[in-house]
Amino acid sequence: MLQAIKKAVPAATVTYAKAGDVPRDAQVGIVVIGEQPYAEMKGDRKSLDLDPADVDTVRKVKEAGIPVVLVLFSGRPMI
């Protein structure tokens, strides 16, 4: 995903920050989250909630006061 974003906007500076640390001059935040790959029963879950760490990252980027794009990789609808 990171390489695709860099290729799509070659004139922009793209910064990767796993923990959601937003540079001061950022104009937009792109947060990519999702489930670990799974097959059949290995993907069974009791809840369709997003991972709390992912939710915290989204909140952290939103607090920077910039537009946020969320990309969710998932094999099912998530809450």
Side-chain angles (χ1 to χ4, degrees):
M1 179 59 78
L2 179 59
Q3 293 305 321
I5 293 169
K6 287 181 177 182
K7 186 175 179 180
V9 289
T13 300
V14 178
T15 304
Y16 171 77
K18 184 175 181 174
D21 298 318
V22 180
R24 289 182 182 221
D25 60 343
Q27 295 179 0
V28 65
I30 302 173
V31 182
V32 181
I33 61 174
E35 299 180 277
Q36 294 295 321
Y38 61 86
E40 300 178 19
M41 293 183 305
K42 297 207 184 272
D44 289 354
R45 298 175 61 163
K46 292 182 181 193
S47 168
L48 293 177
D49 291 337
L50 294 171
D51 184 281
D54 289 343
V55 173
D56 287 342
T57 300
V58 173
R59 283 193 180 123
K60 189 173 186 180
V61 175
K62 282 187 58 123
E63 288 172 0
I66 57 175
V68 178
V69 176
L70 176 63
V71 179
L72 174 63
F73 286 104
S74 173
R76 61 191 129 209
M78 303 295 290
I79 299 171

